[in-house]
Amino acid sequence: MDLENCSSPNFCHLQTLGLYPDFTQCFHNTVLVWLPCLYLWICAPIYLIYLRTKTVSPSNRILFLSLQAVSLLLWIICWADVFYSFWERSHGSSVPAPVLLVSPTLLGLTMLLATFIVQYERMKGVQSSGVMLIYWLLATLCAIVTFRSKILQALDQLSTVCVWRYTTFFIYFTLLLIALFLSCLPDRPPLFSQAVKDPNPCPEHGASFLSKITFWWISRMMVIGYKRPLEEKDLWSLNLDDRSQNVVPQLVHRWNTECQKVKRTEEKTLYSPRQDRQRETKQGPAVEESEILLTKTQQKAKEPSLFWVLCLTFGPYFLISCLYKFIQDILMFVGPEILRLLISFVNNSNAPSWHGFFYTALLFVCTCVQSLVLQRYFHVCFVTGMRLRTAIIGAVYRKALVISSAARRTSTVGEIVNLMSVDAQRFMDLITYINMIWSAPLQVVLALYFLWQNLGASVLAGVAVMILLVPVNAVIAMKTKSYQVAQMKSKDNRIKLMNEMLNGIKVLKLYAWELAFKDKVAGIRESELQVLKKAAYLGAVSTFTWVCAPFLVALSTFAVYVLVDEHNVLDAEKAFVSLALFNILRFPLNMLPMVISSMVQASVSLKRLRVFLSHEELQEDSVEHKVIAGSPYSISIMDGVFCWSRSESPALKRLNVCIPEGSLVAVVGHVGSGKSSLLSALLGEMDKLEGTVAIKGSVAYVPQQAWIQNSTLKGNIIFGQERKEAWYQHVVEACALQPDLEILPAGDETEIGEKGVNLSGGQKQRVSLARAVYCDRAIYLLDDPLSAVDAHVGKHIFDQVIGPQGLLKDKTRVLVTHGLSYLPQADLILVMVEGEITEMGSYQQLMATEGAFSEFLRTYAAVDQTQNNESVAKSGTKGLENGSATALADSSSAINSVSKLSQTGKEDKDLSQKAKNPGVGKLTEADKASTGQVKLSVFWAYLKAIGVLLSFISLLLFITHHGLSLFSNYWLSLWTDDPVINGTQPTRMMRLGVYGALGFSQGVAVFGFSLSMSIGGILASRYLHQSMLYDVLRSPMSFFERTPSGNLVNRFSKEIDTIDTVIPQIFKMFLGSMFNVLGACVVILIATPLVAVVIPFLGLLYFFVQRFYVASSRQLKRLESVSRSPIYTHFNETLLGTSVIRAFGEQERFICNSDQRVDHNQKAYFPSIVANRWLAIRLEFVGNCIVSFAALFAVIARESLSPGIMGLSISYALQLTTSLTWLVRMSSDMETNIVAVEKVKEYSDTEKEAEWKHEPSSLPSGWPTEGQIELRGFCLRYRHDLDLAIRNINITISGGEKVGIVGRTGAGKSSLTLGLFRIIERAEGHIFIDGVDIAQLGLHELRSRITIIPQDPVVFSGSLRMNLDPFDSYSDDEVWRALEFSHLKNFVSSLPDKLNHECSEGGENLSVGQRQLLCLARALLRKTKILVLDEATAAVDMETDNLIQSTIRSQFEDCTILTIAHRLNTIMDYTRVLVLEKGEIAEFDSPSNLISQRGAFYKMAKDAGLV
């Protein structure tokens, strides 16, 4: 063949060799050679730049070396060809064409480039190269065409064959195949890479390119998941790029830079003379005032843009996805074009058969490439979303540790946790769709372009309909946004209230307040559901417009096309190519509203996040730690003025204090005088308005309310420091914790529950103190650590730890205290009144000055001064607390009751033995991942919650909708097959009318379905939330001690959110895709019955892949869900202890801990998104096969097929792939999300308390009237498998008697009161109150008729009035009277809102003493005949204690009072005292008699210095 005419225009025309088509020789030698070369030269620069950024050790494997060898051989062959051409020129008769020189030269250079790239990849440790694989593939494909041509030529025209060129070509072809094969294999990782050290590395990094694009590398995990449920150990380590340590710092750094930038621009615009002076000194002359005024006209203060920061951080990686999306968008339009070619092929009976087969093959290849690109795109999106979530959680956590107290008040714990859970999730959801913002318009434009080609100007009618629908969707989106905000607000309030209820659940039970709070939650929930209902109506309207939009567009276009000109014939090619394009159009039009609403939600979240991240932080410079060397003072405050927030008046004024190193300073003053605030100021927790604070050395802090972590007791004390065993033992003994360790089930390895639920107040305080002492700092700030412990343990701790001879004797100690006995030993005493230090000096100096202090002392010293010195010797290290708060039992925990071990004579059991079995000390139960398939009963429970009738109606409407949709398309195919008479179709008006009617009825059906489905969803979520709330509140106390509140909050926030919004949507989509798939199969079978041979086989494959996938996916989702709770639990815990964490400087450790938890959670999330991709690629392959078979059989049977039916069949087949993928995604989503229903139902099967009320009530109306209590043979145990905690108690207490209950730690004092309130049910015996057996009563009937003032004063957020009287059963006058008697009237009257004063979360804005008085007011308001005091005066000063005692004596004169005594002096005037020992009665008589008997009570009184 002559190669000279390569420049002629028809050089690439097909010619026919025998029966087969072939390209010209010229085409083979130019285009087919140059195409791969062009690809490589374009990609090489970009690829090499990318490789430069990688820093990996080089790989020296055989694989790369072989590839290099092959590339070099190929290069040699190309040059051999070039030299042969030169040789031909000089020796041959004919001069070879220039192409024979140019092409081999180009090819040779390209092979050289390939060799270089392979070598560079080896140096950079690349394990598998996509760029090179595609190059070898392209080169091989082009060579195959030439190979076929050469074979045909040799068979046909043997004389024209050039032996040399044939030989080199076949060698070249063989080497290409070898290179292609080699580049499909991955290399092993370099020896010293990270992956080699990792015990369970993620296989993605080492997978070959083919394995990466088909996601084959996850198959091993899928196989394991199919054989048995996946477990934690099966999960791979997270890729380095996805870990918190890499992701979070990037975002935080960029955010800080952005904030600084905004601050700088603001500073430019503000004018302040003081700043000017500073500028003058630092930066030369001051700026002119006029200049400043000019710049000040700029816009108002600019907010830092979080959006921009997120773009900068995640944009670069995310940009790749845009490229993938663009390729996929273009490929989408290949389907309709091939459909057009196929229909014209069927119409044209003269076309050669190979056209049909070629189109089918092309269709298959294009759809497969489209699938691969699309899944790659999704993978990039999901990984970006995952990193985004990690970054947001990390940033929120870090911010929460530095936020100022004023800002902290504006966001409740619930809100901040929501930022982490809900808002971070919103961003993840958005990332997958965000590209639609540019991709949807692109798809619309392309579709319209092709439609215009097909139908001409009639398309404009369709466009008009679309444009009309845009504002409708926009309005719906805007309304949805406002509902969204309202719903989030209700949800925040609900979670906040739930959080508090769970924290104060013991108080709710003791006061029988569950119903009041249940109604409060139900009220908030109702408003939330109202918003959801409105959103559901809107959703139905938008679904209606979605479903009708494509149909209306098609209808209007066809109508205009047919009616404009009667010679416009709607044939199969026009109708079905248009339909295929309209189907493509449907997707971006449907997606846009979704994307817009998703963006709206994300923008709400973005704003919430920005506000939180912009909150002001604690002033870092408020406390100076660089103190002049040689200064004798370790703490000094000069002219200090401090406030909690800038908007309030200062809480501390005119402070001038200098504290010498190593001194003991006592701070005294009444409740609310600012003692704790002084410590906060020293810690830098308050805003410093004026003055300077300087601190020399590191600080340890013991807060007034101990903050205890959910970890072991040892972990709480060591608090991240290094283990020093001898020092640890020393500290434990000094803090009087040794006796407690002997009682705890696993010694110091016992797990302490959240907020220390299984420790008593005294134990918590001592653990908190031990933590501070163990950390060994220079300065100790102690906020009343001795209040919750017993007087004599207090003395032991003071002597051993705080006092002049204690462990801390060389440290500087600032002790806030109410205990007067410690004051004489202090070096300096500060007296505080209303935020000012009124007096300062040593004990003797202050006594001499006759000021407020000496007055204060004279009033209270009487009790305290009589301390007996010999008691010190006795109480040495024994540390037994008489009537102390320590009893493990005191926490009412059903677990700590193991403490009763001590009573069974096993006290001498060695601690080391206990430690070996830490399982004993487990308390909380982690969320467990259930395994296996979701039971059908769960689905049935959900359908029942909706209502069976409603479910049935929904389904019926849905089937109607799909039936109509199928029939309307079939009608269209009949229309296109109508005969054309005189260039027109006579029946077109009738066809058009019926087509329109079918579409309209479709819309009506879908509207009805959507509405009934959404309403059903709301009914279900109302019912499920109500029943869960009721089940949780009916659970006994032990349940709350075992279940971390994080799990419960997770149920009420995440799972309920899923039931509210996600499940109804998924049900809709699942049914939609299922009917789409069935419909498509039916149509294809009708058109080409031959497909029936293939469909069962493909169906089986589909089913197998789906089951295979669901087994792993479901379990991964469960593992992910289980590992999510600990993130929030840990975060909750951190928020409660921020001041302690900051004081100890442990922020880094906590941040690290939080990051680990997030990474642990993402470890389960990452495989689940990859599994989705794995599945999608395999399913799309099944779909692509169906499409190709439909086309293939249509080509085979083209004689018997009408174009209309063929068009219908293939246009349905083209939709099938998407529907199949959706179907599996939705069915797995349905399984994974219905787990939420399973989890919500879980609590209906846990144990419950006794009934709250008996109907009808058998009680007399005023019961109890006397207040007589009789215990007969009363025994109590905490759990069935434990010994009795209280045994055989027989006592009778007459009405109006005052009885003190005392005893050592674990003697069973609190257990007795818990038995009285039936928090723990009796084991044997009876308790009678006024002759009524309390076991026969409903719990609320009992608990509402007796009153307790509990040890921990719990306050809920809400008004003061609500805290006193949640049922609104008392008048305002009665409430004021109760406040007056509890000495709060003055305080409440001074508040701007009086009784409606809002208490903040946990009562943060009241001092502990005030909260205690509030509990007293509750008791005064209820005024029942029986009052139980559980160490109620632990946290108050002597003065307040006296007030409380006198109020109780006067107001409860005729009531029966049981007091668990704490300070023995409070019960010395009681009628009788009950002394308990090991759960049995040791003594029971009047105090005076007991003292004269010189028994156990006498010893205690002597220790306390009362005898």
Side-chain angles (χ1 to χ4, degrees), residues 619-628 634-636 681-682 688 691-697:
Q619 302 165 308
E620 283 181 16
D621 54 354
S622 62
V623 178
E624 292 168 27
H625 284 281
K626 294 193 287 288
V627 179
I628 311 102
S634 63
I635 299 177
S636 61
L682 292 174
K688 182 179 72 177
T692 55
V693 182
I695 284 191
K696 188 158 103 189

Side-chain angles (χ1 to χ4, degrees), residues 881-922:
E881 301 183 24
N882 71 52
S884 83
T886 11
L888 263 178
D890 296 12
S891 75
S892 85
S893 146
I895 312 306
N896 38 24
S897 54
V898 195
S899 61
K900 304 307 174 300
L901 278 173
S902 53
Q903 299 154 10
T904 54
K906 301 178 189 161
E907 284 144 319
D908 48 18
K909 199 180 204 182
D910 195 358
L911 273 185
S912 62
Q913 238 179 324
K914 288 186 184 181
K916 280 176 197 158
N917 184 9
V920 185
K922 277 303 282 170

Side-chain angles (χ1 to χ4, degrees), residues 261-274:
K261 209 164 69 190
V262 171
K263 244 193 203 133
R264 280 201 298 275
T265 53
E266 270 181 25
E267 275 171 13
K268 275 184 201 163
T269 61
L270 291 175
Y271 173 68
S272 109
R274 186 188 285 176

